[in-house]
Amino acid sequence: MPCKLVILISGSGSNLQAFIDAAEQGELPADIAAVISNRPAAGGLERAAQAGIATAVVDHTGFANRDDFDAALRDTIDSFAPDLVVLAGFMRILGADFVRHFRGRMLNIHPSLLPKYPGLHTHQRAIDAGDTEAGATVHFVTEELDGGPPILQAQVPVKAGDTAELLAARVLEQEHRIYPLAARWFAEGRLTLNGNQAELDDNALPPTGFPFHCVTAD
């Protein structure tokens, strides 16, 4: 049976589109079982519908607290029985119980070279710090925000005169390459979480994940 994915989104779904394209082109040996959003107006829901993928909405504004939202979201995800949950621009912090429920089978991508710049405004923070490189990191999700074991990392140069928007666009191109690849490794049974260590082919990955230099932008 192919690996079943559920993808969580909050916005337009550009990373979602990368997964759809990879699956359609045979580069991702997995079925996208559903796309779930916490925002009813998320543009990515239309992308999913156009691709014939089931969609669901769990609107966070309809819940009195985070725990109730997490429980409803967990139950909705579980109804599709996924092997892997992919956070693709999902803009809600998830509680510890939720994360533990999906431990070892939930991935996120963060637009910085973790452990640098967890949280928001990553591109501006890299520019303000005078960094010469920025990038994106795919990691397993754990209870620590943006702190789960890294899997794969792509670097891009920070250019003179860069704005946060220009740098974000350059990083996003790389996100679209590395995120489906990490999911492919998982689908092929090559990628696992062992304790608090990401392993590829039973080998521990480096502390910052696999360095995907071959897709570095010029």
Side-chain angles (χ1 to χ4, degrees), residues 64-148:
N65 55 61
R66 180 187 295 175
D67 288 345
D68 289 349
F69 168 73
D70 281 0
L73 180 60
R74 179 201 63 214
D75 291 347
T76 303
I77 294 170
D78 281 347
S79 72
F80 294 99
D83 300 296
L84 180 65
V85 178
V86 174
L87 307 184
F90 187 70
M91 302 302 291
R92 298 294 296 175
I93 295 175
L94 298 166
D97 288 345
F98 180 97
V99 170
R100 281 192 290 267
H101 181 76
F102 294 106
R103 184 176 177 85
R105 53 194 183 105
M106 183 160 59
L107 305 182
N108 184 43
I109 192 163
H110 184 71
S112 79
L113 298 176
L114 291 173
K116 281 188 171 184
Y117 315 129
L120 302 175
H121 310 301
T122 58
H123 308 297
Q124 190 61 54
R125 289 158 71 189
I127 292 169
D128 291 345
D131 291 353
T132 59
E133 289 183 323
T137 307
V138 182
H139 63 94
F140 279 106
V141 178
T142 61
E143 292 90 335
E144 181 184 357
L145 178 65
D146 299 326

Side-chain angles (χ1 to χ4, degrees), residues 3-11 13-20 22-23 28-38 53 56 73 77-78 80-92 94 98 102-110 137-141 151 175-176 178-187 191:
C3 180
K4 289 177 65 177
L5 273 59
V6 164
I7 300 179
L8 306 187
I9 65 168
S10 294
S14 69
N15 266 311
L16 164 64
Q17 189 64 54
F19 275 84
I20 293 171
L28 176 61
D31 290 335
I32 303 175
V35 172
I36 302 172
S37 178
N38 65 308
I53 300 168
L73 180 60
I77 294 170
D78 281 347
F80 294 99
D83 300 296
L84 180 65
V85 178
V86 174
L87 307 184
F90 187 70
M91 302 302 291
R92 298 294 296 175
L94 298 166
F98 180 97
F102 294 106
R103 184 176 177 85
R105 53 194 183 105
M106 183 160 59
L107 305 182
N108 184 43
I109 192 163
H110 184 71
T137 307
V138 182
H139 63 94
F140 279 106
V141 178
I151 298 163
E175 292 184 34
H176 294 166
I178 66 172
Y179 208 2
L181 176 58
R184 175 176 182 166
W185 289 346
F186 186 94
L191 176 66

